[in-house]
Amino acid sequence: MTDIETIGRHECMHLLAHRSFVGRVAFAVDGQPLVLPVNYVVDGTSVVFRTAAGTKLRALRGGARVAFEVDDGRPLDRAGWSVLVTGIAEEITDHRDLDRLRRGPLHSWAAPAADHWIRVTIDEVSGRRMAGS
Amino acid sequence: MTDIETIGRHECMHLLAHRSFVGRVAFAVDGQPLVLPVNYVVDGTSVVFRTAAGTKLRALRGGARVAFEVDDGRPLDRAGWSVLVTGIAEEITDHRDLDRLRRGPLHSWAAPAADHWIRVTIDEVSGRRMAGS
Protein backbone atom coordinates (compact mmCIF):
# COMPACT_ATOMS: atom_id res chain seq x y z
CA MET A 1 0.00 0.00 0.00
CA THR A 2 1.18 3.48 -0.87
CA ASP A 3 0.05 6.79 0.53
CA ILE A 4 -0.54 9.77 -1.74
CA GLU A 5 0.26 13.23 -0.46
CA THR A 6 -0.33 16.59 -2.07
CA ILE A 7 2.71 18.76 -2.86
CA GLY A 8 2.34 22.48 -2.15
CA ARG A 9 2.87 25.18 -4.76
CA HIS A 10 6.31 26.21 -3.51
CA GLU A 11 7.71 22.69 -3.70
CA CYS A 12 5.99 22.10 -7.06
CA MET A 13 7.85 25.13 -8.46
CA HIS A 14 11.12 23.82 -7.02
CA LEU A 15 10.63 20.37 -8.55
CA LEU A 16 9.69 21.92 -11.88
CA ALA A 17 12.66 24.28 -11.92
CA HIS A 18 15.40 22.05 -10.54
CA ARG A 19 14.57 18.39 -10.65
CA SER A 20 13.75 17.53 -14.24
CA PHE A 21 15.07 18.02 -17.78
CA VAL A 22 12.16 16.55 -19.70
CA GLY A 23 8.48 17.35 -19.42
CA ARG A 24 5.45 16.37 -21.42
CA VAL A 25 3.17 18.93 -23.01
CA ALA A 26 -0.46 17.98 -23.71
CA PHE A 27 -2.68 19.85 -26.14
CA ALA A 28 -5.57 19.14 -28.47
CA VAL A 29 -5.62 19.14 -32.27
CA ASP A 30 -9.17 19.09 -33.65
CA GLY A 31 -10.43 17.59 -30.40
CA GLN A 32 -7.77 14.86 -30.26
CA PRO A 33 -5.51 15.11 -27.19
CA LEU A 34 -1.81 14.68 -27.92
CA VAL A 35 1.15 14.53 -25.53
CA LEU A 36 4.81 14.92 -26.46
CA PRO A 37 8.06 15.07 -24.50
CA VAL A 38 10.10 18.28 -24.56
CA ASN A 39 13.21 19.66 -22.92
CA TYR A 40 12.27 22.76 -21.00
CA VAL A 41 13.36 25.51 -18.63
CA VAL A 42 11.40 27.48 -16.08
CA ASP A 43 11.62 31.19 -16.95
CA GLY A 44 10.10 33.34 -14.24
CA THR A 45 6.56 32.04 -13.78
CA SER A 46 6.39 30.20 -17.07
CA VAL A 47 7.68 27.04 -18.73
CA VAL A 48 9.63 27.53 -21.98
CA PHE A 49 10.49 24.93 -24.59
CA ARG A 50 11.50 24.82 -28.22
CA THR A 51 9.75 23.17 -31.14
CA ALA A 52 10.16 22.85 -34.88
CA ALA A 53 7.63 24.09 -37.41
CA GLY A 54 4.80 21.57 -37.71
CA THR A 55 1.63 20.32 -36.08
CA LYS A 56 2.76 21.06 -32.54
CA LEU A 57 3.76 24.62 -33.35
CA ARG A 58 0.50 25.34 -35.20
CA ALA A 59 -1.49 23.94 -32.28
CA LEU A 60 0.47 25.85 -29.62
CA ARG A 61 1.50 29.20 -30.99
CA GLY A 62 -1.75 31.12 -30.67
CA GLY A 63 -3.01 30.94 -27.11
CA ALA A 64 -3.91 27.27 -26.81
CA ARG A 65 -4.84 25.82 -23.44
CA VAL A 66 -2.24 23.21 -22.53
CA ALA A 67 -1.07 21.00 -19.71
CA PHE A 68 2.57 20.39 -18.85
CA GLU A 69 3.73 17.54 -16.64
CA VAL A 70 6.98 16.36 -15.06
CA ASP A 71 7.47 13.29 -12.91
CA ASP A 72 10.11 11.05 -11.48
CA GLY A 73 9.84 7.68 -9.84
CA ARG A 74 11.53 4.60 -8.49
CA PRO A 75 9.50 1.74 -9.96
CA LEU A 76 10.83 -0.97 -7.63
CA ASP A 77 9.82 1.07 -4.59
CA ARG A 78 6.46 2.09 -6.12
CA ALA A 79 7.42 5.65 -5.18
CA GLY A 80 7.50 8.86 -7.13
CA TRP A 81 6.20 12.36 -7.63
CA SER A 82 4.49 14.32 -10.38
CA VAL A 83 3.76 17.98 -11.00
CA LEU A 84 1.04 19.22 -13.34
CA VAL A 85 0.85 22.73 -14.79
CA THR A 86 -2.09 24.13 -16.70
CA GLY A 87 -1.82 27.35 -18.67
CA ILE A 88 -1.84 29.10 -22.01
CA ALA A 89 0.81 28.57 -24.72
CA GLU A 90 2.15 31.41 -26.87
CA GLU A 91 5.03 31.57 -29.31
CA ILE A 92 7.72 33.96 -28.10
CA THR A 93 8.34 36.62 -30.74
CA ASP A 94 9.95 39.44 -28.72
CA HIS A 95 13.53 39.68 -29.98
CA ARG A 96 15.05 40.70 -26.65
CA ASP A 97 13.29 37.78 -24.99
CA LEU A 98 14.55 35.40 -27.69
CA ASP A 99 18.11 36.71 -27.48
CA ARG A 100 18.12 36.21 -23.73
CA LEU A 101 16.68 32.68 -23.98
CA ARG A 102 19.11 31.68 -26.74
CA ARG A 103 22.01 32.54 -24.44
CA GLY A 104 20.50 30.24 -21.78
CA PRO A 105 20.81 26.53 -21.10
CA LEU A 106 17.94 25.25 -23.23
CA HIS A 107 19.15 23.30 -26.23
CA SER A 108 16.49 20.99 -27.58
CA TRP A 109 17.69 17.44 -28.19
CA ALA A 110 16.15 17.80 -31.61
CA ALA A 111 17.98 21.07 -32.40
CA PRO A 112 18.77 22.84 -34.62
CA ALA A 113 15.39 22.37 -36.37
CA ALA A 114 13.49 23.38 -33.21
CA ASP A 115 13.91 27.11 -33.69
CA HIS A 116 10.52 28.25 -32.38
CA TRP A 117 10.20 29.05 -28.68
CA ILE A 118 6.93 28.43 -26.82
CA ARG A 119 6.04 29.93 -23.45
CA VAL A 120 3.40 28.31 -21.22
CA THR A 121 2.11 30.52 -18.44
CA ILE A 122 1.84 28.65 -15.15
CA ASP A 123 -1.78 29.48 -14.32
CA GLU A 124 -2.20 26.55 -11.96
CA VAL A 125 0.29 24.06 -10.57
CA SER A 126 -0.35 21.01 -8.45
CA GLY A 127 1.62 17.98 -7.43
CA ARG A 128 1.41 14.68 -5.66
CA ARG A 129 3.84 12.24 -4.20
CA MET A 130 3.61 8.52 -3.52
CA ALA A 131 5.90 7.79 -0.61
CA GLY A 132 6.49 4.14 -1.40
CA SER A 133 6.08 0.96 0.54
CA MET B 1 23.30 18.07 -33.36
CA THR B 2 20.89 15.18 -33.02
CA ASP B 3 19.09 13.27 -35.75
CA ILE B 4 15.46 12.29 -35.35
CA GLU B 5 14.28 9.00 -36.78
CA THR B 6 10.81 7.54 -36.98
CA ILE B 7 10.15 4.27 -35.15
CA GLY B 8 7.97 1.75 -36.98
CA ARG B 9 4.77 0.28 -35.54
CA HIS B 10 6.30 -3.09 -34.62
CA GLU B 11 9.09 -1.52 -32.57
CA CYS B 12 6.68 1.00 -31.03
CA MET B 13 4.56 -1.91 -29.75
CA HIS B 14 7.68 -3.61 -28.37
CA LEU B 15 8.82 -0.45 -26.55
CA LEU B 16 5.31 0.08 -25.18
CA ALA B 17 4.96 -3.51 -23.97
CA HIS B 18 8.44 -4.19 -22.63
CA ARG B 19 10.46 -1.06 -21.98
CA SER B 20 8.44 1.12 -19.64
CA PHE B 21 6.44 0.93 -16.41
CA VAL B 22 5.01 4.43 -16.38
CA GLY B 23 3.14 6.25 -19.13
CA ARG B 24 1.28 9.53 -19.27
CA VAL B 25 -2.36 9.73 -20.28
CA ALA B 26 -3.66 13.00 -21.77
CA PHE B 27 -7.33 13.89 -21.95
CA ALA B 28 -9.51 16.97 -21.85
CA VAL B 29 -11.89 18.13 -19.12
CA ASP B 30 -14.19 20.93 -20.32
CA GLY B 31 -11.68 21.84 -23.03
CA GLN B 32 -8.69 21.91 -20.67
CA PRO B 33 -6.03 19.34 -21.57
CA LEU B 34 -4.65 17.39 -18.60
CA VAL B 35 -1.85 14.83 -18.44
CA LEU B 36 -1.17 12.42 -15.59
CA PRO B 37 1.30 9.57 -15.03
CA VAL B 38 -0.02 6.03 -14.67
CA ASN B 39 1.38 2.55 -14.29
CA TYR B 40 0.13 0.46 -17.19
CA VAL B 41 0.25 -2.85 -19.02
CA VAL B 42 -0.27 -3.66 -22.68
CA ASP B 43 -3.19 -6.09 -23.00
CA GLY B 44 -3.55 -7.36 -26.55
CA THR B 45 -3.87 -4.26 -28.71
CA SER B 46 -4.78 -1.91 -25.89
CA VAL B 47 -3.19 -0.12 -22.95
CA VAL B 48 -4.73 -0.80 -19.54
CA PHE B 49 -4.28 1.19 -16.35
CA ARG B 50 -6.06 1.68 -13.04
CA THR B 51 -7.50 4.82 -11.54
CA ALA B 52 -9.45 5.87 -8.47
CA ALA B 53 -12.90 7.45 -8.55
CA GLY B 54 -12.57 11.15 -9.38
CA THR B 55 -12.05 13.63 -12.19
CA LYS B 56 -9.86 11.33 -14.26
CA LEU B 57 -12.32 8.45 -14.08
CA ARG B 58 -15.29 10.65 -14.98
CA ALA B 59 -13.38 12.08 -17.95
CA LEU B 60 -12.18 8.70 -19.21
CA ARG B 61 -14.83 6.10 -18.53
CA GLY B 62 -17.24 6.84 -21.35
CA GLY B 63 -15.43 6.76 -24.69
CA ALA B 64 -13.17 9.79 -24.39
CA ARG B 65 -10.49 10.42 -27.00
CA VAL B 66 -7.13 10.24 -25.26
CA ALA B 67 -3.40 10.15 -25.94
CA PHE B 68 -0.97 7.90 -24.11
CA GLU B 69 2.78 8.44 -24.15
CA VAL B 70 5.89 6.63 -22.93
CA ASP B 71 9.45 7.80 -23.28
CA ASP B 72 12.94 7.17 -22.03
CA GLY B 73 16.09 9.19 -22.39
CA ARG B 74 19.67 9.79 -21.43
CA PRO B 75 19.81 13.53 -20.78
CA LEU B 76 23.60 13.81 -20.83
CA ASP B 77 23.74 12.23 -24.27
CA ARG B 78 20.74 14.19 -25.55
CA ALA B 79 19.34 10.84 -26.67
CA GLY B 80 16.00 9.16 -26.16
CA TRP B 81 12.84 7.75 -27.64
CA SER B 82 9.13 8.34 -27.28
CA VAL B 83 6.02 6.47 -28.36
CA LEU B 84 2.60 8.11 -28.72
CA VAL B 85 -0.71 6.24 -28.80
CA THR B 86 -4.04 7.79 -29.66
CA GLY B 87 -7.29 5.97 -29.01
CA ILE B 88 -10.53 5.74 -27.10
CA ALA B 89 -10.77 5.16 -23.35
CA GLU B 90 -13.44 2.93 -21.78
CA GLU B 91 -13.88 1.62 -18.27
CA ILE B 92 -13.60 -2.17 -18.16
CA THR B 93 -16.75 -3.65 -16.65
CA ASP B 94 -16.69 -7.24 -17.95
CA HIS B 95 -16.14 -9.43 -14.87
CA ARG B 96 -14.10 -12.10 -16.64
CA ASP B 97 -11.86 -9.39 -18.07
CA LEU B 98 -11.45 -7.80 -14.63
CA ASP B 99 -10.72 -11.14 -12.95
CA ARG B 100 -8.03 -11.89 -15.52
CA LEU B 101 -6.46 -8.42 -15.19
CA ARG B 102 -6.51 -8.56 -11.37
CA ARG B 103 -4.45 -11.75 -11.53
CA GLY B 104 -1.90 -9.92 -13.70
CA PRO B 105 1.10 -7.76 -12.92
CA LEU B 106 -0.55 -4.35 -12.79
CA HIS B 107 -0.61 -2.93 -9.30
CA SER B 108 -1.02 0.83 -9.31
CA TRP B 109 1.43 2.66 -7.08
CA ALA B 110 -1.59 4.40 -5.66
CA ALA B 111 -3.49 1.18 -4.90
CA PRO B 112 -5.72 0.06 -3.31
CA ALA B 113 -7.90 3.11 -3.99
CA ALA B 114 -7.38 2.79 -7.75
CA ASP B 115 -9.99 0.10 -8.23
CA HIS B 116 -11.31 1.17 -11.64
CA TRP B 117 -9.68 -0.24 -14.74
CA ILE B 118 -9.47 1.79 -17.96
CA ARG B 119 -8.72 0.35 -21.39
CA VAL B 120 -7.36 2.57 -24.18
CA THR B 121 -7.62 1.09 -27.66
CA ILE B 122 -4.44 1.62 -29.66
CA ASP B 123 -5.96 3.20 -32.75
CA GLU B 124 -2.72 4.81 -33.88
CA VAL B 125 0.82 4.46 -32.59
CA SER B 126 3.90 6.36 -33.65
CA GLY B 127 7.36 6.85 -32.27
CA ARG B 128 10.57 8.72 -32.73
CA ARG B 129 14.11 8.37 -31.56
CA MET B 130 16.90 10.88 -31.12
CA ALA B 131 20.15 9.02 -31.59
CA GLY B 132 22.31 11.38 -29.57
CA SER B 133 25.49 13.23 -30.26
Side-chain angles (χ1 to χ4, degrees), chain A residues 37-100:
Chain A
V38 290
N39 290 105
Y40 74 98
V41 292
V42 171
D43 183 50
T45 56
S46 62
V47 167
V48 171
F49 58 88
R50 296 169 60 182
T51 188
T55 304
K56 185 163 56 171
L57 179 64
R58 283 193 299 276
L60 293 177
R61 74 189 328 167
R65 292 212 68 84
V66 302
F68 182 81
E69 186 264 357
V70 296
D71 59 61
D72 193 22
R74 302 191 308 274
L76 292 177
D77 294 341
R78 299 178 182 276
W81 57 264
S82 65
V83 170
L84 175 67
V85 167
T86 54
I88 304 289
E90 294 275 7
E91 184 171 4
I92 300 171
T93 56
D94 181 271
H95 287 287
R96 282 166 302 187
D97 226 8
L98 288 171
D99 285 346
R100 182 177 58 78

Side-chain angles (χ1 to χ4, degrees), chain B residues 13 16-17 40-49 92 96-98 100-101 104-106 117-122:
Chain B
M13 290 300 299
L16 202 57
Y40 74 97
V41 291
V42 172
D43 184 50
T45 56
S46 63
V47 166
V48 171
F49 57 89
I92 300 170
R96 279 166 303 185
D97 226 8
L98 289 171
R100 183 176 58 80
L101 288 165
L106 183 60
W117 294 71
I118 302 289
R119 181 184 301 285
V120 174
T121 57
I122 301 175

Side-chain angles (χ1 to χ4, degrees), chain B residues 18-93:
Chain B
H18 300 296
R19 293 297 299 279
S20 193
F21 297 96
V22 179
R24 289 99 197 159
V25 60
F27 54 99
V29 174
D30 297 333
Q32 170 65 59
L34 297 176
V35 51
L36 294 170
V38 290
N39 289 104
Y40 74 97
V41 291
V42 172
D43 184 50
T45 56
S46 63
V47 166
V48 171
F49 57 89
R50 296 168 59 180
T51 188
T55 304
K56 185 162 57 171
L57 179 65
R58 283 193 299 277
L60 293 176
R61 73 190 329 168
R65 292 212 66 85
V66 303
F68 181 81
E69 187 263 356
V70 295
D71 60 60
D72 194 22
R74 301 192 307 274
L76 293 177
D77 294 341
R78 301 178 180 276
W81 57 263
S82 65
V83 170
L84 175 67
V85 166
T86 53
I88 303 289
E90 295 275 5
E91 185 172 4
I92 300 170
T93 54

